[in-house]
Amino acid sequence: MIDLAVLWFALVFVLLGTFLFLDGFDFGVGLLFATRDDEEERETLLAAIGPIWDGNEVWLVVFGGALFAVFPAAYAGLFSRHYLLMFAILGALILRGIAPELYEQRSDDRWKRWWGRSFIVGSALSPFLLGMFAANWVLGASTIVSVPSLAFGLTVVALTLVEGAAFLGLKTRGTLRDEMSDYSARAALAYLVLVVVVIGYLAATRSDLHGALLSPLSLAAVVVSVALVAGVVLASRADRHRAAFAAAAFLPYALVAFVGNLLYPAIDPAVGLTVQEGVVSDLPLTMLTVAAAFILPIVVVYFGVVYSVFSGPADPSETY
Amino acid sequence: MLDPTTASRLQFALTTIVHIVFPVVSMGLAPFLVYFTWKEVRTGEAIYEQLRRFWVRIFAVSFVVGTVTGLVLEFEFGTNFAAFAATTGELFGGPLAVEGMMAFFLEATFLGIFVFGRERVSDRLYLLSSILVGLGTWLSAVWILVANSWMQTPRGFEVVMRNGNPIVTLVDPIAAYANPRFPWMFVHMQNAAVLSVALLMAGIAAYHIRSARTDDDRFWRATLKIALVALIITAPLQVLHGDAYARHISVTQPQKFAAMEAVWDTATYVPEYIVAFPTSLNDILNPRAKDIFGIGIPGGASWLASGGDAQAEIVGLNEFEGSPPVAIVFWSFRLMVAMGFWFMLLAFWGGYRWRTGELFEDGLLHRAFVWTSLLGFFAVETGWVVTEVGRQPWVVQGVMKTSAGVSPGLSSTEATLTLLGFVAVYTALLVVYVYVIRRIIRGGAPKIERAQREAPGSEVAADD
């Protein structure tokens, strides 16, 4: 018999990883918006994510919903203890969420400059603050700001940059594409450096985590991440944009596997709540499992349809 | 500084009051968009493409603002009402998770095709996208109302101890989720959404017809007719259904019903007050203050609650532990009912003018439509105030008090700070939203640059 509590613990992290993959590249595109002055290039970036980012961000909603439904005590404890951080995250997500839509509503410079900035700031702060939240969660931290939380925030920002630039390598052409490829390779190296810094800091300061850091799954996640970073760098240099994006796409899953493994068997280490203690009773858990088993494969089909409809280079005129 | 309970309740109230507008726009627009798309695909007529494009823009902007404000709501259960979330999450979290997986994904992914994909996909897939987006918005309401209806009439659960805390555990999913309140809420809500959007549409059309920009006139006349058809169907239904719904509440939530009628002492032959004012200003928030000036129908409330017996007994608020802020519930209920009757009257008036062939000539009617544009949303707000404020002091009727649901570690400073932040951010959001929507509305009918897509009828022939 499969342990449904453990299965859902893994699924919660897969949902988070998928959010970090799909909306991750949207954040990256938002950050890279800062590097563009040319209006047509900016429109190209917006057109690249326009039809898909609404769907991508739903993975965060479903991650939150799944955590609430399966581990309600952990959801309640984490969100209320990181009260101000959660609202900062919401503020950043609001900025990012409305900016691209509003950017298109008027054509004058001031309006576009204002919403362009809010798009960039929201896209930078969202992954940064989510990274801080994840670090505080896993480390059971009581303060919001600490060395590991800041470093991990930057790590997640670097990750979204890798993904965003790799995605734009697929969706753009010419010199813009070359530049994006270059960014993704550099960001991948920066990501690797930050990962090493975070792990080094934890190894030096948290002897209680040594076992988890040296466990096979953690080591595998690190090795896979190094290989993926190498893949991103080499594929970008060789102008193999599909391969670069594919490598970037797996990076967030390696990261959540690493993070989930550090956490397990706890679901909320700050109060010593384990996965088995925090999970809901069998009946709702079975119902949710059946529901998810039916619905999530269909969701993957939706994404397949949408992504295939909008495959190919983005057309800057294709905003409505 | 406000205490954490008050600040959290204000913040949650503010969040829901603002958020509800956007799902109402989405749910209400959905059937219209499917209709426009179907006609566009079927007939190839430019006017349906214009209608679709005009309302898709409003849908897309509303969806985005609805998403960010809805995300805030989902988080707030954890941040501000952690005790509620931890205690009832086993029952309450499930529908929210399924809403995300089943409904929100459907709406958000196909919205991409619906907004950006007209030139990229076949007519059939495009029409299907419009249907799936609409289905997503309606399924969202199903799951949200499954969760909410359980809070109104909770069943199918037991309270057990886990890790030293009492928690609500699911024992009978059918009883819990096929809740007696659910169908009442769903029908009332969906019909209200379509009604609200029909009123908005009629108001915008009437505004443009009055301003008489001749190049768009055909577009706005068609819009007014479509809106009026929807209005004639939904407005009377809302009143009839609302009447039956109130009776359902008098049976299942007598405390809420007593608050709606402001009945303190259990009595028979209770009058239905149309308006009521205390004669002393100090009692202005208490609609049943001792010295009262009111206009009431004798036995009216008893008659309504029992479905025809003016002598029926109504249980008063004094019989219950605690009571909701009665004045808010009493007045919200009256405003909602008054607006409901006004919408019905407006529908009949418009229908009559259509029959007499003077729909586009009656200036007074047009002005009435313009002034009523936003009242549907206001009626939805008052309805939710009755529903949500009316069940106080309970967050889960008879099971958990709202004050017991607030996050235990929350400080006054944190709660007040975020409340202020909310007021600022939500005000800004609303200002920007209203500004953008007004611009879209003032911009008039979308211009079709190319010639008609295809000759009428050719599509059908090609498909056959």
Side-chain angles (χ1 to χ4, degrees), chain B residues 19 327 418:
Chain B
H19 173 67
T418 54

Side-chain angles (χ1 to χ4, degrees), chain B residues 21 62 132 139 143 152 186 234 273 289 308 314 326 362 406 452:
Chain B
V21 173
S62 308
L132 293 178
L139 278 175
W143 289 104
Q152 310 285 342
F186 185 74
T234 52
Y273 280 95
I314 293 181
V326 175
D362 189 342
V406 177
Q452 261 175 244

Side-chain angles (χ1 to χ4, degrees), chain A:
Chain A
M1 187 65 195
I2 307 164
D3 186 339
L4 288 182
V6 178
L7 182 75
W8 271 94
F9 178 79
L11 185 60
V12 161
F13 277 90
V14 170
L15 293 171
L16 186 62
T18 308
F19 166 72
L20 212 50
F21 160 37
L22 295 174
D23 220 18
F25 68 66
D26 299 330
F27 292 137
V29 171
L31 280 161
L32 291 162
F33 204 76
T35 66
R36 303 293 106 191
D37 289 328
D38 178 62
E39 187 52 33
E40 185 163 321
E41 289 187 346
R42 289 194 151 201
E43 294 287 348
T44 307
L45 263 53
L46 282 177
I49 59 165
I52 46 176
W53 74 270
D54 278 335
N56 292 347
E57 70 178 340
V58 178
W59 291 92
L60 181 67
V61 178
V62 172
F63 159 76
L67 194 65
F68 191 179
V70 181
F71 303 105
Y75 166 86
L78 284 168
F79 280 33
S80 60
R81 265 180 282 118
H82 298 110
Y83 189 81
L84 293 176
L85 181 56
M86 296 323 284
F87 282 102
I89 291 173
L90 287 172
L93 287 169
I94 288 174
L95 265 191
R96 193 295 299 252
I98 60 170
E101 184 73 36
L102 292 173
Y103 188 88
E104 299 293 336
Q105 297 292 336
R106 278 184 67 163
S107 51
D108 63 284
D109 285 347
R110 259 189 61 187
W111 177 268
K112 287 202 178 272
R113 205 163 45 239
W114 177 259
W115 289 111
R117 275 186 204 142
S118 120
F119 183 39
I120 295 160
V121 171
S123 297
L125 279 179
S126 301
F128 181 70
L129 297 170
L130 282 163
M132 286 177 77
F133 168 71
N136 289 335
W137 175 9
V138 173
L139 301 175
S142 51
T143 52
I144 292 176
V145 181
S146 62
V147 174
S149 78
L150 292 173
F152 198 71
L154 286 177
T155 308
V156 178
V157 173
L159 174 65
T160 61
L161 259 181
V162 181
E163 295 180 62
F167 177 71
L168 289 172
L170 282 180
K171 302 296 284 184
T172 56
R173 281 175 281 212
T175 51
L176 184 57
R177 165 179 265 189
D178 295 340
E179 223 177 301
M180 289 301 142
S181 270
D182 199 36
Y183 280 132
S184 80
R186 285 193 216 176
L189 291 170
Y191 172 70
L192 197 58
V193 170
L194 283 161
V195 167
V196 170
V197 168
V198 170
I199 294 177
Y201 186 86
L202 292 182
T205 57
R206 292 284 298 264
S207 53
D208 57 317
L209 291 176
H210 283 177
L213 284 172
L214 291 171
S215 70
L217 189 57
S218 289
L219 293 174
V222 172
V223 170
V224 168
S225 294
V226 172
L228 290 171
V229 165
V232 172
V233 173
L234 294 174
S236 299
R237 293 278 143 86
D239 285 335
R240 294 183 54 198
H241 304 289
R242 275 174 177 277
F245 182 65
F250 284 101
L251 272 176
Y253 292 102
L255 183 66
V256 294
F258 181 80
V259 168
N261 186 51
L262 278 192
L263 192 58
Y264 191 82
I267 183 82
D268 187 358
V271 293
L273 188 74
T274 66
V275 168
Q276 300 297 342
E277 290 163 349
V279 78
V280 291
S281 56
D282 289 342
L283 181 60
L285 194 59
T286 310
M287 287 170 60
L288 275 166
T289 310
V290 173
F294 275 102
I295 302 166
L296 287 179
I298 299 173
V299 170
V300 174
V301 174
Y302 304 159
F303 274 77
V305 172
V306 168
Y307 277 79
S308 71
V309 166
F310 294 99
S311 63
D315 176 358
S317 70
E318 205 171 55
T319 47
Y320 64 102

Side-chain angles (χ1 to χ4, degrees), chain B residues 143-224:
Chain B
W143 289 104
I144 296 302
L145 293 178
V146 161
N148 191 291
S149 65
W150 179 79
M151 298 161 92
Q152 310 285 342
T153 48
R155 302 196 313 177
F157 68 94
E158 259 171 23
V159 178
V160 298
M161 294 300 284
R162 186 178 299 164
N163 306 323
N165 299 309
I167 70 131
V168 172
T169 186
L170 180 65
V171 289
D172 183 350
I174 308 239
Y177 295 139
N179 192 279
R181 175 58 55 80
F182 170 75
W184 292 102
M185 288 188 127
F186 185 74
V187 173
H188 209 58
M189 185 71 218
Q190 295 303 54
N191 198 60
V194 180
L195 172 58
S196 301
V197 168
L199 287 168
L200 179 68
M201 244 178 209
I204 295 170
Y207 162 81
H208 279 280
I209 291 168
R210 277 169 64 76
S211 71
R213 263 176 45 182
T214 45
D215 51 335
D216 285 354
D217 209 40
R218 188 168 163 261
F219 178 81
W220 294 116
R221 286 176 177 224
T223 308
L224 184 59

